[in-house]
Amino acid sequence: MNNGNVIEAQNLTRKFGNFTAVDSVTFSVGKGEVFGFLGANGAGKSTTIRMLTGILTPTGGKGSVAGFDIIREQEKIRRNIGYMSQKFSLYEDLTVEENLAFYGGIYGMSSKEMSSARKRLYERLNMGDIRRRLAGSIPLGWKQRTSLACAIQHNPRILFLDEPTGGVDPLSRRAFWDIIYDLSESGITVFVTTHYMDEAEYCGRISIMHAGKIITIGNPTVLKKEYRKKTIEDVFIYLVSNADVQTNQSNN
Amino acid sequence: MFKRIKAIIKKELYHILRDPRTLAVIFAMPVMMVLLYGYALNMDIKFIPIGFIDYDHSAESRALIQDFDASEYFNIKEFAENYTTIDYQLELGIIKAAIIIPKGFGENRKKQPVSQIQLLVDGSDPTYGNAVVNYANALVTLHSSENQNSLKMIPINFSDRFLYNPDLKGAHFIIPGLVAVIMMMVCALLTSITISREKETGTMEVLLVSPVRPIEIIAAKVIPYVVLSIIDGIFILIFAKLVFDIPLRGDLVLLLGLSILFIYCALSIGLLISSMASTQQIAMMAALVATILPSIILSGFIFPIFSMPAPIRALTAIVPAKYYMIIIRGILLKASSFRVVQTQAISLVLLGTIFLLIATIRFKTRAQ
């Protein structure tokens, strides 16, 4: 199953009772890729991420992350990934530095490792000035950056970002994506869900999910050409409304 | 594993030290409750306001009134001429009881073996009313034995002695019970709030994706509160000793050991609540209803369990504080040994385990 790909999913399925949240999805992500995971709310993106990160057990299919089986080796997976949620998940009554120290601690980093990681991150993310401020008191763009720093300080091989730019101003979003590119260049694989269609254009490859299924997958430029649309947003709308028409026809 | 737990404990201490509300619950609440329950909730009733109607006006009736007047338990507010005045004052609450000495009382006392006077008591507060009847009875009995006219008639007297709390001080009974209430508050309430806070802010999600095991999260989250609740318990006992002069007779090591069983129960309930509550608000309300109120009302802390109606009495069986009240009062006031309180100790272990099992099952089903 391992052929240079760091994420693999084969017919991955998750049912909740009668409801199929993720319906037999198959895809793979190569090392260092920035992979965009698109879909409307409720399309099954979060459920897929939760299965890949080992919080949720699939009801069907199989998959691997960083070479480890997502059903049997969840603990090994967790040690090799970083995760940033859309809520940014900082402790607001802790300073930026204390947040970093906490997340470093739960990844088992020694204080020596942490202080060198912090030094590197402060420089790279340009956040030296805010390190002593409470996370609750800094602007959203800085919270996002801090949250990202928490997710990457233990040098994960794969970074999962669940809607990482929600509510953040365009300038901060742009700066954030610059960092994402940097990370990808240094060999970290980035798996990102978003519903900002302009962000999808920044990804190396995207997949569009609808009603639990992946309806298309590929390079944004190639997809735009294939469907003869100007933007990914148009591709998305075209595919999703098409898929809806098909479901309705088959139901009738 | 140790590194991860240490990181979480450290973070938890920051939360505690930086949140004024948590600090208030942990440090100000015990002080406030000890003072409130120790002083304000004084069940040693004194200076009961009473009225008299003396239809007799004899030396004997005056002697009886004199005794009531001298007693610190009674405070004579009114000497009425007729029943209407007394009735009115009882209704207004100016007096809580009235004693009516009939005409011929003095004559009767000289001739008859038994004489009667009437006691009217405001029964709207039964506890208070009972106390009034008991005090009045005691005083009249004492009075009649001291003013014995005929040597032929020797009344039987109890020579009574109250064991364990000879002065019948309410604080001796209440303050040890407070330890149970405070421990329940710190362990169940604060633990459930701290866990549901992680769910509410989304940080739990990140913890679950990290290498931390759920059991490590829970262990690290409860350890600070266990330590704090033990400190609170010790603090209350020191306070009890210094301010209220409560004896602390028994084996304190035994008490500590059994307190840990109670803490185990409280934590299990706290975890059970946090497995059901998704926000801090819900957790707080649930903890209040499921832990604090039963610990005060259904535990025998203030209201005796044996006088509750059968269904409620049955309900008290699942209130951990009920067992712990018996343990802590037993050890502190009666110097009880383990053998005396072993049933309660076993009950705590069983209850705690049952709550913990339900919480675990709920956590597992929710995680899927």
Side-chain angles (χ1 to χ4, degrees):
Chain A
M1 193 154 152
N2 202 338
N3 38 18
N5 290 330
V6 289
I7 301 177
E8 297 239 24
Q10 268 176 33
N11 304 320
L12 205 56
T13 301
R14 174 69 208 200
K15 289 183 180 170
F16 296 100
N18 285 329
F19 172 67
T20 309
V22 175
D23 191 357
S24 189
V25 301
T26 300
F27 64 90
S28 57
V29 181
K31 185 173 188 293
E33 223 184 322
V34 177
F35 187 80
F37 212 55
L38 274 64
N41 292 330
K45 290 176 304 194
S46 291
T47 309
T48 309
I49 278 215
R50 292 178 72 202
M51 286 192 280
L52 293 176
T53 52
I55 311 183
L56 203 61
T57 314
T59 46
K62 55 183 181 175
S64 74
V65 169
F68 301 111
D69 188 276
I70 60 167
I71 298 166
R72 282 174 287 117
E73 298 173 303
Q74 298 177 336
E75 271 193 39
K76 284 180 187 158
I77 291 178
R78 286 182 200 152
R79 262 192 276 273
N80 286 286
I81 61 172
Y83 176 74
M84 176 181 161
S85 91
Q86 52 185 325
K87 290 179 176 170
F88 299 160
S89 306
L90 298 171
Y91 295 96
E92 307 223 315
D93 51 346
L94 266 59
T95 63
V96 167
E97 189 150 312
E98 285 161 354
N99 267 289
L100 277 163
F102 168 69
Y103 282 112
I106 63 172
Y107 278 92
M109 295 170 74
S110 71
S111 43
K112 213 180 193 176
E113 285 169 326
M114 277 194 278
S115 68
S116 74
R118 274 205 296 271
K119 213 169 145 194
R120 209 176 56 239
L121 286 168
Y122 288 154
E123 206 168 311
R124 187 167 180 182
L125 305 187
N126 190 24
M127 49 192 271
D129 295 343
I130 55 154
R131 64 203 180 96
R132 288 193 204 289
R133 289 180 60 186
L134 290 182
S137 71
I138 56 175
L140 205 62
W142 286 108
K143 281 187 189 169
Q144 179 201 36
R145 224 172 265 207
T146 308
S147 182
L148 179 69
C150 290
I152 59 176
Q153 66 171 333
H154 59 285
N155 286 321
R157 290 167 59 192
I158 305 162
L159 182 59
F160 286 91
L161 305 169
D162 191 4
E163 312 225 340
T165 52
V168 171
D169 66 88
L171 214 65
S172 299
R173 267 170 65 193
R174 195 51 189 263
F176 185 79
W177 275 94
D178 284 342
I179 299 165
I180 298 297
Y181 281 136
D182 273 2
L183 290 172
S184 140
E185 255 160 49
S186 66
I188 295 178
T189 308
V190 180
F191 185 101
V192 53
T193 73
T194 181
H195 49 222
Y196 289 108
M197 293 302 154
D198 57 325
E199 283 186 353
E201 317 254 2
Y202 305 150
C203 298
R205 258 187 334 137
I206 58 167
S207 79
I208 294 178
M209 217 175 164
H210 178 68
K213 289 191 170 104
I214 289 182
I215 50 179
T216 195
I217 198 162
N219 176 279
T221 321
V222 175
L223 287 179
K224 278 186 286 189
K225 247 182 223 155
E226 191 181 328
Y227 294 100
R228 279 183 237 124
K229 303 285 174 198
K230 277 202 198 83
T231 62
I232 284 297
E233 184 161 357
D234 293 337
V235 174
F236 180 83
I237 291 168
Y238 168 77
L239 283 173
V240 166
S241 43
N242 250 11
D244 277 337
V245 171
Q246 274 167 15
T247 342
N248 287 340
Q249 277 168 352
S250 64
N251 283 351
N252 296 335
Chain B
M1 177 174 159
F2 181 68
K3 229 180 247 167
R4 295 193 291 256
I5 290 183
K6 204 178 105 188
I8 302 179
I9 291 179
K10 194 172 167 194
K11 171 196 73 100
E12 213 59 35
L13 287 177
Y14 284 135
H15 289 325
I16 294 169
L17 295 175
R18 286 174 192 178
D19 179 24
R21 280 184 307 173
T22 312
L23 282 177
V25 171
I26 295 173
F27 297 109
M29 191 83 102
V31 179
M32 206 185 74
M33 284 182 94
V34 167
L35 291 176
L36 273 181
Y37 280 102
Y39 287 116
L41 193 102
N42 201 338
M43 292 194 291
D44 317 332
I45 298 164
K46 283 184 180 169
F47 308 114
I48 301 157
I50 58 163
F52 267 94
I53 310 179
D54 184 1
Y55 287 120
D56 197 42
H57 296 293
S58 61
E60 283 79 10
S61 69
R62 273 192 297 276
L64 181 63
I65 293 170
Q66 196 84 66
D67 272 4
F68 271 89
D69 200 26
S71 160
E72 62 171 347
Y73 292 105
F74 292 98
N75 177 13
I76 303 174
K77 286 267 183 195
E78 178 74 28
F79 290 100
E81 290 303 318
N82 55 48
Y83 190 79
T84 324
T85 326
I86 287 293
D87 196 39
Y88 183 63
Q89 296 207 334
L90 274 172
E91 208 177 308
L92 285 180
I94 297 172
I95 57 173
K96 291 288 180 189
I99 290 171
I100 298 155
I101 303 171
K103 192 146 187 63
F105 169 76
E107 283 301 301
N108 237 352
R109 286 280 291 149
K110 288 175 197 151
K111 297 175 196 155
Q112 304 282 329
V114 179
S115 350
Q116 286 208 322
I117 55 173
Q118 189 183 21
L119 173 66
L120 295 171
V121 179
D122 177 352
S124 52
D125 178 351
T127 319
Y128 194 85
N130 265 325
V132 174
V133 173
N134 289 337
Y135 288 143
N137 252 327
L139 216 142
V140 168
T141 309
L142 189 71
H143 174 84
S144 52
S145 62
E146 279 169 357
N147 298 274
Q148 202 65 40
N149 293 327
S150 141
L151 284 173
K152 276 184 284 180
M153 204 181 54
I154 301 162
I156 298 173
N157 259 340
F158 277 118
S159 129
D160 48 13
R161 189 162 73 88
F162 283 98
L163 302 174
Y164 316 126
N165 183 2
D167 304 329
L168 287 186
K169 282 193 182 138
H172 286 202
F173 181 69
I174 290 292
I175 306 283
L178 258 187
V179 175
V181 178
I182 298 282
M183 280 187 169
M184 191 45 104
M185 190 126 62
V186 173
C187 287
L189 180 77
L190 295 183
T191 319
S192 61
I193 288 177
T194 174
I195 293 178
S196 46
R197 172 163 60 188
E198 302 257 359
K199 286 199 226 171
E200 199 177 333
T201 56
T203 45
M204 189 58 100
E205 211 183 324
V206 181
L207 291 186
L208 289 174
V209 178
S210 79
V212 185
R213 294 189 196 92
I215 183 79
E216 292 168 357
I217 300 178
I218 288 172
K221 278 196 157 292
V222 304
I223 287 170
Y225 294 103
V226 169
V227 173
L228 284 170
S229 68
I230 291 176
I231 292 175
D232 265 351
I234 293 172
F235 162 77
I236 294 173
L237 292 184
I238 292 174
F239 210 86
K241 175 81 184 159
L242 296 183
V243 179
F244 294 99
D245 203 22
I246 296 172
L248 315 186
R249 292 194 181 92
D251 181 349
L252 294 180
V253 177
L254 174 68
L255 180 62
L256 183 68
L258 296 178
S259 298
I260 286 170
L261 295 184
F262 178 65
I263 289 172
Y264 167 63
C265 259
L267 290 174
S268 303
I269 296 178
L271 292 178
L272 180 59
I273 290 169
S274 59
S275 74
M276 297 190 274
S278 50
T279 68
Q280 295 181 67
Q281 289 285 338
I282 295 174
M284 205 180 308
M285 289 312 294
L288 203 64
V289 173
T291 65
I292 313 295
L293 290 182
S295 299
I296 293 176
I297 296 169
L298 298 178
S299 63
F301 173 47
I302 300 174
F303 311 109
I305 291 172
F306 57 80
S307 59
M308 291 174 186
I312 307 255
R313 217 162 50 223
L315 191 64
T316 63
I318 57 162
V319 177
K322 168 191 171 173
Y323 305 105
Y324 188 64
M325 291 285 166
I326 298 173
I327 291 173
I328 190 167
R329 282 175 179 155
I331 293 176
L332 290 184
L333 301 177
K334 302 186 197 172
S336 302
S337 66
F338 178 70
R339 253 162 41 86
V340 179
V341 291
Q342 59 186 0
T343 329
Q344 280 74 28
I346 293 166
S347 305
L348 286 180
V349 173
L350 284 179
L351 268 183
T353 309
I354 291 169
F355 288 133
L356 192 62
L357 275 178
I358 303 174
T360 316
I361 292 166
R362 288 206 55 112
F363 267 121
K364 286 219 169 110
T365 45
R366 273 182 67 102
Q368 286 302 307

